[in-house]
Amino acid sequence: MTALSSKNCSLQYQLHQSPQLLEASCLLFLIILGKVLLNILLLRVRRGDARWTLMEYFCFSLALVDLLLLVNISILTYFRDFVVLGIRFTRYHICLLTQIISFTYGFLHYPVCSLACIDYWCSLSRASKQSSRWQKLLYFLTVILTWISVLAYVLVDPAISVSLKAHRGYVYQCPAYVSTQSHWLSLSMLMVLFVAFLISWQEVVALLQAMRIASYKSKAALYFPFPLHCGYALSCREALLPRLIVCFLGTWFPFVALQVLILSLRVQIPAYIEMNVPWLYFVNSFLIAAVYWFNCHKLDLRDSSLPVDPFINWKCCFVPVHRLKQVERPMSIVIC
């Protein structure tokens, strides 16, 4: 009688657990599907003339990993319980895979940003105008090595292993890692933007009032008065800072406002959602602006080997006014 009751209780628990498992799996599938579609959209609307950089390679690799994650979750959700090469896969592996991806994504922010910054800094002194075959191979190997290194760290770290085993078998109670790296990176960029705006807010307001729309190389562009020759690096940086702020916020202001809202409300976003292509392109534009500002005395705007932003045409922002041909009212405005 006791054994029969125990068996019935176990059966009732499994029947009660199944809808929760299905609901959690479907919700995770929809989240990853939305992220994949957003990644594809950003990769499609990016500028076609953008030169291949380390960040570009990583953005495409991230989109590929997200797509593979979506495919694996779809297979595990559909077949539920199956065996491949003697290994049994169940819905528990959805939670396990999501947690591993979350930890991996969460530890990638600092390495990727550091490597991208080094790449842009070196590109200012690079003589070649296009990425060579060996340089592209170096980018590819660097991205692969970065993924492998971070994934290996996640798999061998004892604390992470304990966390992965803590919720074994409970998909609907599967906690996702929230990255501290993205939090501090976002906070640092917002603080730098705030301080830069605080220093040059008068120049920013004057620029917005003096800003004009012009046609440059058959494209609509916003231009600002810019000194042709900077005698000293300090004066050059002072003149360049407000223009960088206007150009950056002109493209990424909605994303900046979103970051302020997330930090203000202390929203906990899982790392597998937070690491995405729009976030990387946002950081990418910030890094390019920072490298331009620190090396403004080295800039040669006629050199096509300068870092090319997929979303902000920094070059057009610095074109002297006398090079602009005919000012017209275009049908659409392209913000530099």
Side-chain angles (χ1 to χ4, degrees):
M1 181 68 178
T2 304
L4 182 60
S5 300
S6 177
K7 184 177 181 179
N8 290 336
C9 289
S10 177
L11 179 61
Q12 290 177 2
Y13 174 77
Q14 291 178 3
L15 292 175
H16 176 71
Q17 188 184 31
S18 296
Q20 292 178 315
L21 293 175
L22 181 61
E23 182 180 352
S25 301
C26 291
L27 179 60
L28 181 62
F29 172 81
L30 292 176
I31 292 174
I32 301 300
L33 177 61
K35 184 184 177 186
V36 168
L37 294 177
L38 183 61
N39 291 343
I40 294 175
L41 176 63
L42 265 290
L43 293 175
R44 289 283 295 177
V45 301
R46 59 186 286 276
R47 293 175 55 193
D49 60 343
R51 188 172 59 87
W52 283 93
T53 61
L54 182 65
M55 185 65 85
E56 286 288 310
Y57 275 82
F58 190 82
C59 286
F60 275 87
S61 70
L62 178 63
L64 179 60
V65 173
D66 282 337
L67 183 60
L68 293 176
L69 177 62
L70 179 65
V71 171
N72 289 325
I73 291 177
S74 304
I75 295 174
L76 292 171
T77 303
Y78 181 78
F79 291 102
R80 302 185 183 183
D81 193 341
F82 60 97
V83 178
V84 176
L85 299 177
I87 302 176
R88 184 184 178 186
F89 292 92
T90 64
R91 287 190 178 178
Y92 156 70
H93 291 89
I94 298 177
C95 176
L96 180 62
L97 181 61
T98 304
Q99 286 184 314
I100 293 175
I101 290 296
S102 292
F103 279 111
T104 304
Y105 283 4
F107 292 128
L108 277 171
H109 295 273
Y110 288 168
V112 171
C113 293
S114 301
L115 291 172
C117 187
I118 294 173
D119 177 43
Y120 290 140
W121 197 283
C122 295
S123 66
L124 290 177
S125 57
R126 191 180 299 145
S128 61
K129 295 185 177 182
Q130 299 295 332
S131 299
S132 64
R133 182 180 303 176
W134 292 109
Q135 184 181 342
K136 292 179 180 179
L137 179 60
L138 178 62
Y139 286 156
F140 177 78
L141 294 178
T142 302
V143 169
I144 296 298
L145 182 61
T146 303
W147 277 104
I148 294 176
S149 302
V150 175
L151 180 60
Y153 172 78
V154 169
L155 294 179
V156 301
D157 185 74
I160 296 178
S161 300
V162 172
S163 177
L164 293 176
K165 295 177 181 178
H167 297 269
R168 185 170 185 172
Y170 297 94
V171 179
Y172 61 94
Q173 294 180 356
C174 181
Y177 174 70
V178 178
S179 175
T180 57
Q181 290 189 7
S182 63
H183 172 82
W184 290 112
L185 184 61
S186 177
L187 182 62
S188 300
M189 290 192 297
L190 291 179
M191 289 180 63
V192 170
L193 283 173
F194 177 75
V195 172
F197 182 80
L198 201 63
I199 294 174
S200 59
W201 70 270
Q202 293 180 336
E203 290 81 359
V204 171
V205 173
L207 274 178
L208 293 176
Q209 294 175 347
M211 189 168 53
R212 296 294 183 270
I213 303 173
S215 177
Y216 178 72
K217 293 185 177 181
S218 303
K219 293 182 180 180
L222 302 182
Y223 73 88
F224 318 100
F226 183 73
L228 299 182
H229 301 286
C230 295
Y232 300 95
L234 181 61
S235 62
C236 185
R237 289 174 180 171
E238 289 177 349
L240 189 58
L241 181 60
R243 290 156 180 81
L244 293 175
I245 294 175
V246 171
C247 295
F248 181 81
L249 293 180
T251 300
W252 292 109
F253 179 77
F255 208 90
V256 172
L258 178 62
Q259 295 300 312
V260 173
L261 186 64
I262 291 174
L263 293 176
S264 301
L265 299 179
R266 297 182 179 180
V267 180
Q268 300 291 319
I269 302 178
Y272 68 87
I273 300 176
E274 196 169 33
M275 171 63 82
N276 51 67
V277 172
W279 162 256
L280 288 179
Y281 277 135
F282 170 73
V283 176
N284 182 64
S285 297
F286 183 88
L287 293 178
I288 292 178
V291 170
Y292 277 163
W293 186 77
F294 277 107
N295 297 274
C296 64
H297 55 287
K298 298 180 182 178
L299 291 179
D300 182 6
L301 299 174
R302 296 169 298 179
D303 186 6
S304 60
S305 66
L306 289 176
V308 179
D309 195 313
F311 288 93
I312 303 179
N313 191 357
W314 297 104
K315 272 191 178 182
C316 289
C317 297
F318 310 141
V319 173
V321 178
H322 74 272
R323 294 188 190 177
L324 298 169
K325 300 297 182 184
Q326 154 182 6
V327 178
E328 57 186 17
R329 186 177 182 83
M331 295 297 295
S332 60
I333 300 175
V334 179
I335 299 180
C336 296

